[in-house]
């Protein structure tokens, strides 16, 4: 008891010391303006291209993540032996070569390097030199691995270069290993901690050059803050942390750079993981944010770079199949979604040209075109193009023809190009592609094409049976399944919210699944949870800048999942045990008189990094309907029916996609009180349309009444 009391007092004194002494202390004693601080920070230079190397690190972590066995401590004893006894001596012997280690060894090396002072100490103790390391992009890594394998096999006749990375094989190899490490660093502890890093940098914007360039600039500012602050335990955001890790993975460059910038090697401590309110990590984060604001006059946190919480595999259970029928593929659909030509072909008739399209088994045998488009158009969208059943055809072929001759004119082929569809077919059950096709020939034109190949399966239909909303207790962490308990608390208050228990009922052999809808007005958060066997197996959850960057932070917002509250956008992320699956961002676009408009949805599917755009006009036209199509799946807003032609594995995910779209419609559509310019006639039309929407059970199930009423009562509060 006395020991605990002493420890508690010591911890309190350490925390007080952190809060009291962390301050700006400019080197040289002269205070600098914000502009001077930024200018000096961005002048800091590195011996490594950190942007390119950060891309390599994300690629490597993604590959490690494909082998969960590498995260299991019981599996890693043999890999640590291979690293220490075999790889490091080989790397030291060939220090001037560009070598890459097999994945299990590379992962151990990666974790060891992230404690730079101890890594250098261990290397000096064991090999009397610091063994360098570098990161490789995928293609370069393959080349370096071949050279490493050649050297390994020449030196170690009885040791395989690469090992089976399945869980059972790795564990078997480790149980047979009689080995005690001489490395002083706790690599097992580092593996346990670093396994959680990738999830926080796994979203697609961490592969974007613009986002990473901005991250490098923030890392420069981060180091400049560290240089000019006193007694500061610095805590980075994840964009800066990615750059910091990347820098450390080049140990010789890191030592040289940090000594030049800071006067010493900057230590890295990843053992501080406690995020409780009075922890060292929390208090140091507050200090870092405070001093950043003082130095740079801007908020430290940046969108898309914050701690995202627990990984989905820790939160959700694996789902059961939703259908008793065999999961058989019935066909494959090819859809050409957009096409453009880079310039008008050189012909005697100017804008008169023909672009022919073929789907063929052999690109050398093209005869009658499947489809044709004509000049003077240079851009064609989905409405101008086609969708066809794809059978054995391997090649998508384009042939450009112009007219020549004046009296007796004739069409002449001036360019031909192709896309190999075979490379796309095994990528996903739904694969969107973008390609630039060079038309080889006299004219040297290019065709820019995008399309979709979709596997179709036996149709499965589901109807939503809705439950009523009630005011209930809502815990802060709703990712864990909790019991529904009615409360007399105000639903706007912390700890309360609206909950409804729905159910999707399958038809013709399709199974049922519970669907719980939770809305917390206090946080303006909604969560749609799919439940099997009293466990959450999938969710669609509103997200914000903790997860997603703003549009200006990436090179092209159409290629990435982004979120911009300044445009009234809301975002929903779909997740299951295997990881994040998709992000939908909704934005309401109004007509000039603001009495009608449409919901614009950007659906970024994380599994294949594709993007789709879906527009839902409100009110619908006389000939229109409220069937929403996503990858051959149909969501009927009026009838509350979902018709799925996807694989069993994706069924829950597409149910979540449909519900997410309807939730975004509820969240984004403006209320009449938000459009004060409406006259009486326009207001009456708006109210009539609102009543029409209230007849749709799907929208009511997605909180149409409780969300809009809650937003009205808390108008002016944060809705992001």
């Amino acid at each position: 008891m006395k020991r605990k009391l002493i420890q508690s007092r010591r911890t309190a004194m350490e925390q007080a010391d952190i809060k009291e002494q962390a301050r700006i202390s400019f080197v040289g004693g002269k205070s600098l303006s914000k502009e001077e601080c930024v200018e000096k920070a961005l002048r800091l230079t590195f011996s490594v291209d950190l942007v390119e190397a950060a891309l390599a690190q994300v690629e490597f972590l993604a590959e490690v993540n494909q082998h969960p066995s590498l995260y299991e401590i019981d599996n890693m004893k043999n890999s640590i032996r291979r690293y220490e006894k075999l790889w490091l001596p080989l790397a030291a012997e060939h220090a001037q070569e560009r070598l890459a280690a097999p994945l299990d060894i590379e992962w151990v090396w990666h974790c060891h390097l992230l404690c730079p002072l101890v890594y250098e100490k261990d290397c000096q103790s064991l090999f009397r030199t610091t063994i360098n390391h570098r990161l490789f992009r995928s293609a370069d890594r393959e080349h370096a691995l071949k050279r490493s394998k050649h050297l390994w096999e020449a030196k170690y006749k009885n040791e395989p270069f690469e090992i089976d990375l399945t869980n059972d094989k790795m564990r078997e190899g480790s149980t047979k290993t009689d080995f005690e490490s001489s490395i002083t660093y706790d690599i097992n502890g580092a593996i346990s901690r670093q396994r959680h890093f990738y999830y926080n940098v796994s979203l697609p914007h961490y592969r974007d050059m613009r986002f990473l360039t901005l991250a490098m600039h923030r890392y420069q500012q981060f180091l400049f803050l560290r240089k000019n602050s006193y007694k500061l335990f610095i805590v980075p955001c994840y964009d800066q942390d990615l750059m910091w890790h990347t820098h450390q993975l080049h140990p010789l460059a890191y030592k040289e750079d940090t000594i030049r910038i800071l006067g010493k090697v900057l230590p890295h401590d990843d053992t501080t993981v406690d995020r409780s309110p009075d922890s060292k990590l929390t208090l140091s984060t507050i200090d870092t944010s405070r001093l950043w604001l003082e130095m740079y006059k801007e908020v430290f946190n940046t969108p898309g770079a914050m701690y995202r919480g627990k990984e989905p595999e820790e939160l959700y259970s694996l789902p059961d199949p939703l259908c008793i029928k065999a999961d058989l593929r019935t066909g494959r659909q090819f859809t050409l979604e957009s096409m453009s030509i880079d310039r008008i072909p050189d012909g005697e008739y100017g804008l008169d040209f023909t672009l022919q399209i073929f789907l063929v088994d052999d690109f050398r045998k093209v005869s009658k075109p499947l489809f044709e488009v004509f000049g003077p158009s240079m851009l064609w969208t989905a409405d101008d193009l086609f969708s066809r059943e794809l059978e054995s055809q391997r090649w998508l072929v384009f042939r450009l023809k112009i007219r020549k001759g004046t009296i007796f004119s004739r069409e002449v082929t001036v360019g031909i190009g192709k896309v190999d569809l075979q490379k796309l077919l095994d990528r996903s059950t739904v694969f969107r592609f973008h390609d630039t096709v060079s038309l080889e020939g006299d004219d040297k034109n290019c065709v820019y094409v995008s399309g979709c190949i979709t596997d179709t399966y036996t149709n499965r239909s589901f109807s939503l049976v809705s439950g009523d909303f009630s005011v209930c207790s809502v815990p802060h962490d709703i990712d864990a399944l909790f019991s529904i308990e009615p409360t007399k608390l105000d639903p706007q208050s912390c700890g309360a919210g609206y909950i409804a228990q729905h159910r999707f009922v399958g038809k013709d052999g399709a199974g049922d699944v519970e669907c719980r809808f939770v809305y917390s007005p206090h946080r303006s958060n909604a969560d749609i949870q799919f439940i099997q066997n009293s466990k959450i197996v999938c969710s669609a959850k509103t997200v914000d800048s903790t997860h997603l960057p703003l549009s200006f932070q990436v090179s092209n917002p159409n290629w990435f999942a982004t979120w911009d509250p300044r445009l009234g956008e809301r975002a929903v992320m779909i997740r299951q045990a295997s990881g994040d699956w998709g992000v939908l961002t909704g934005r309401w676009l109004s007509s000039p008189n603001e009495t009608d408009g449409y919901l614009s949805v950007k659906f970024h599917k994380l599994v294949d990094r594709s993007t789709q755009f879906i527009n839902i006009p409100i009110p619908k036209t006389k000939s229109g309907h409220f069937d929403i199509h996503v990858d051959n799946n149909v969501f009927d807003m009026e009838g509350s029916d979902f018709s799925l032609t996807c694989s069993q594995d994706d069924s829950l995910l597409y149910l979540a996609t449909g519900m997410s779209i309807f939730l975004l419609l509820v969240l984004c559509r403006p209320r009449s009180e938000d459009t004060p310019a409406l006259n009486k006639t326009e207001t009456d039309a708006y109210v009539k349309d609102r009543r029409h929407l209230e007849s749709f059970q799907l929208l009511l199930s997605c909180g149409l009444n409780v969300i809009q009423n809650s937003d009205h009562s808390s108008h002016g509060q944060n809705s992001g």
Side-chain angles (χ1 to χ4, degrees):
M1 185 68 180
K2 184 177 180 181
R3 182 179 299 173
K4 289 183 179 179
L5 183 60
I6 293 172
Q7 181 62 39
S8 176
R9 287 176 178 171
R10 182 180 300 158
T11 303
M13 290 173 64
E14 288 174 353
Q15 293 169 352
D17 187 57
I18 292 169
K19 289 196 76 172
E20 188 176 328
Q21 297 189 36
R23 65 179 188 272
I24 298 293
S25 179
F26 285 108
V27 174
K30 179 185 175 183
S31 295
L32 302 176
S33 67
K34 165 199 168 182
E35 291 75 17
E36 289 173 320
C37 289
V38 172
E39 181 185 359
K40 287 183 177 293
L42 297 186
R43 284 182 183 175
L44 301 181
T45 59
F46 307 115
S47 307
V48 178
D49 182 346
L50 291 183
V51 172
E52 186 72 15
L55 281 171
Q57 186 186 175
V58 173
E59 289 176 353
F60 167 72
L61 293 174
E63 187 178 4
V64 171
N65 200 58
Q66 296 299 312
H67 301 277
S69 56
L70 295 174
Y71 295 147
E72 300 299 326
I73 301 304
D74 292 342
N75 297 343
M76 295 304 294
K77 187 173 183 179
N78 187 45
S79 295
I80 294 172
R81 177 192 67 85
R82 282 160 46 81
Y83 166 66
E84 181 179 339
K85 295 299 184 184
L86 304 175
W87 176 258
L88 287 181
L90 182 70
E93 185 178 332
H94 299 276
Q96 303 307 314
E97 298 230 32
R98 290 167 52 85
L99 302 181
L103 195 62
D104 67 315
I105 294 176
E106 187 74 35
W107 175 233
V108 176
W109 202 3
H110 175 102
C111 294
H112 194 189
L113 285 160
L114 292 179
C115 191
L117 297 179
V118 178
Y119 176 76
E120 182 178 30
K121 177 184 174 183
D122 286 337
C123 284
Q124 292 291 338
S125 172
L126 295 173
F127 307 103
R128 297 186 179 181
T129 184
T130 300
I131 301 170
N132 202 14
H133 174 271
R134 58 184 58 83
L135 287 162
F136 297 97
R137 297 293 304 277
S138 299
D140 291 337
R141 176 169 162 76
E142 286 299 317
H143 179 76
L145 276 172
K146 290 179 181 178
R147 176 59 178 162
S148 299
K149 184 177 181 180
H150 173 75
L151 296 174
W152 177 290
E153 291 178 343
K155 186 176 180 68
Y156 307 119
K157 303 295 185 183
N158 300 317
E159 287 276 356
F161 179 65
E162 294 175 306
I163 62 172
D164 191 326
L165 297 180
T166 58
N167 195 62
D168 290 343
K169 289 293 185 181
M170 286 196 69
R171 184 164 297 180
E172 180 183 347
S174 288
T175 56
K176 293 179 179 179
T177 298
D178 184 17
F179 166 70
E180 293 297 330
S181 176
S182 299
I183 290 175
T184 61
Y185 186 55
D186 179 11
I187 290 180
N188 284 334
I191 290 171
S192 297
R193 296 186 297 273
Q194 288 303 318
R195 67 176 297 175
H196 303 293
F197 182 80
Y198 173 65
Y199 176 66
N200 289 282
V201 299
S202 62
L203 289 176
H205 56 274
Y206 276 96
R207 296 174 184 246
D208 177 54
M209 294 294 286
R210 176 172 175 77
F211 184 85
L212 292 176
T213 299
L214 293 173
M216 185 189 68
H217 292 164
R218 281 171 41 83
Y219 178 55
Q220 290 171 303
Q221 291 178 267
F222 186 68
L223 291 179
F224 188 75
L225 176 65
R226 180 64 185 86
K227 178 180 180 179
N228 292 281
S229 57
Y230 179 69
K231 293 278 186 178
L232 177 61
F233 176 80
I234 53 178
V235 181
C237 296
Y238 273 94
D239 60 333
Q240 298 160 322
D241 211 16
L242 176 65
M243 290 297 164
W244 195 4
H245 284 203
T246 300
H247 203 181
Q248 291 172 82
L249 295 175
H250 300 80
L252 299 186
Y254 182 75
K255 179 179 181 179
E256 175 191 329
D257 292 343
T258 54
I259 289 176
R260 172 168 41 83
I261 294 169
L262 303 174
K264 64 177 182 179
V265 178
L266 179 62
H268 178 255
D269 179 10
D270 71 340
T271 62
T272 307
V273 295
D274 179 10
R275 294 179 180 272
S276 60
D278 293 324
S279 67
K280 178 181 178 181
L281 181 61
T282 299
L283 295 177
S284 297
T285 300
I286 293 171
D287 272 337
T288 305
S289 300
R290 173 175 56 81
L291 296 184
W292 185 280
L293 181 62
E294 181 181 336
M295 176 174 280
Y296 299 117
K297 304 301 186 287
E298 65 182 16
V299 175
F300 176 59
N301 295 347
T302 194
M306 308 312 298
Y307 174 64
R308 299 177 58 207
K310 293 181 178 179
E311 294 96 318
E313 66 176 11
E314 296 183 71
L315 301 172
Y316 307 133
S317 299
L318 294 173
D320 294 331
L322 275 183
C323 184
I324 59 175
K325 296 179 180 178
D327 193 19
L328 299 176
R329 186 168 63 84
T330 59
R332 182 173 277 146
Q333 195 78 6
F334 175 86
T335 303
L336 203 57
E337 297 180 327
S338 70
M339 185 173 68
S340 63
I341 193 166
D342 61 339
R343 59 183 175 79
I344 297 171
D346 296 329
E348 296 175 18
Y349 286 78
L351 302 178
D352 184 7
F353 65 87
T354 303
L355 185 59
Q356 299 178 328
I357 307 169
F358 306 80
L359 281 173
V360 295
D361 296 322
D362 187 344
F363 72 87
R364 292 165 296 188
K365 297 179 180 179
V366 294
S367 53
K368 184 178 179 181
L370 174 67
F371 202 80
E372 293 180 321
V373 293
F374 308 95
S377 294
M378 296 177 64
L379 172 66
W380 301 271
T381 61
D383 292 338
D384 308 313
L385 299 170
F386 67 91
S387 180
R388 291 286 190 277
E389 186 77 15
L390 188 65
E391 297 176 352
S392 61
Q393 299 95 332
R394 173 174 178 173
W395 300 97
L396 171 66
V397 179
F398 299 92
R399 183 164 66 189
L400 179 63
K401 306 185 79 171
I402 62 173
R403 299 196 69 81
K404 285 194 173 182
T406 53
I407 299 176
F408 301 103
S409 64
R410 68 190 190 282
E411 280 196 322
V412 177
T413 298
V414 293
I416 190 165
K418 60 186 182 297
V419 176
D420 186 354
L421 299 179
Q422 190 64 44
K423 295 180 179 179
L424 311 177
L425 298 182
D426 297 327
R427 297 284 295 275
S428 172
T429 56
V430 179
F431 181 75
R432 293 195 129 66
F433 65 91
H434 307 269
D435 211 339
T436 300
V437 184
S438 298
L439 302 181
E440 302 296 334
D442 298 335
D443 231 44
K444 306 297 183 184
N445 275 93
C446 287
V447 173
Y448 305 105
V449 59
S450 68
C452 177
I453 299 175
T454 309
D455 286 346
T456 55
Y457 292 80
T458 305
N459 181 273
R460 293 183 293 281
S461 297
F462 298 85
S463 289
L464 184 69
V465 178
S466 301
D468 295 329
F469 280 91
S470 56
V471 179
C472 299
S473 299
V474 177
H476 181 75
D477 179 12
I478 62 173
D479 286 315
L481 192 64
F482 58 91
S483 59
I484 297 178
E485 299 178 0
T487 181
K488 294 182 180 180
L489 289 173
D490 183 340
Q492 303 285 337
S493 64
C494 182
Y498 296 96
I499 299 179
Q501 283 284 109
H502 310 316
R503 189 173 189 83
F504 275 101
V505 177
K507 304 175 183 178
D508 301 324
D512 299 353
V513 62
E514 291 180 54
C515 177
R516 178 186 290 187
F517 191 101
V518 183
Y519 179 64
S520 304
H522 177 72
R523 297 191 297 268
S524 193
N525 287 344
D527 200 345
I528 305 169
Q529 301 170 341
F530 291 85
I531 301 168
Q532 291 180 327
N533 304 318
S534 300
K535 295 180 180 178
I536 301 175
V537 293
C538 177
S539 79
K541 184 185 187 75
T542 54
V543 292
D544 53 24
S545 60
T546 298
H547 299 262
L548 304 178
L550 299 175
S551 56
F552 80 86
Q553 293 176 266
V554 296
S555 55
N556 186 334
N558 290 335
W559 298 346
F560 298 95
T562 60
W563 173 78
D564 197 335
R566 299 168 298 182
L567 302 176
E569 290 184 346
R570 299 299 298 268
V572 178
M573 180 174 288
I574 299 171
R575 307 191 296 173
Q576 60 177 356
S578 59
D580 302 329
W581 187 76
V583 177
L584 296 98
T585 307
R587 175 186 174 193
W588 184 261
L589 298 176
S590 298
S591 62
N593 62 9
E594 297 189 348
T595 58
D596 55 15
Y598 65 93
L599 176 70
S600 175
V601 177
K602 180 176 71 172
F603 175 28
H604 191 86
K605 197 185 300 179
L606 301 171
V607 68
D608 61 11
R609 296 199 294 275
S610 65
T611 304
Q612 304 172 52
F613 295 90
I614 306 159
N615 294 329
I616 306 168
I618 303 292
K620 68 176 181 178
T621 61
K622 290 183 180 180
S623 60
H625 52 79
F626 279 133
D627 284 352
I628 300 169
H629 297 252
V630 179
D631 295 338
N632 290 343
N633 304 289
V634 182
F635 313 127
D636 179 3
M637 186 161 70
E638 291 180 282
S640 300
D641 292 331
F642 288 54
S643 178
L644 306 184
T645 56
C646 58
S647 69
Q648 280 275 22
D649 291 343
D650 290 343
S651 295
L652 277 173
L653 297 166
Y654 279 109
L655 290 179
T657 300
M659 292 293 282
S660 298
I661 292 172
F662 300 128
L663 171 60
L664 288 172
L665 181 56
V666 170
L667 291 171
C668 296
R669 187 169 184 269
R671 302 155 299 181
S672 57
E673 55 267 28
D674 293 330
T675 54
L678 299 185
N679 58 37
K680 184 179 185 306
T681 302
E682 292 168 339
T683 301
D684 290 344
Y686 189 98
V687 171
K688 180 181 178 182
D689 181 46
R690 166 67 192 263
R691 288 174 179 166
H692 179 54
L693 291 179
E694 286 178 351
S695 68
F696 295 168
Q697 192 60 49
L698 263 174
L699 294 187
L700 294 174
S701 301
C702 288
L704 177 65
N705 287 334
V706 299
I707 290 177
Q708 296 220 343
N709 291 339
S710 299
D711 283 350
H712 175 62
S713 62
S714 60
H715 194 52
Q717 295 183 17
N718 175 28
S719 61

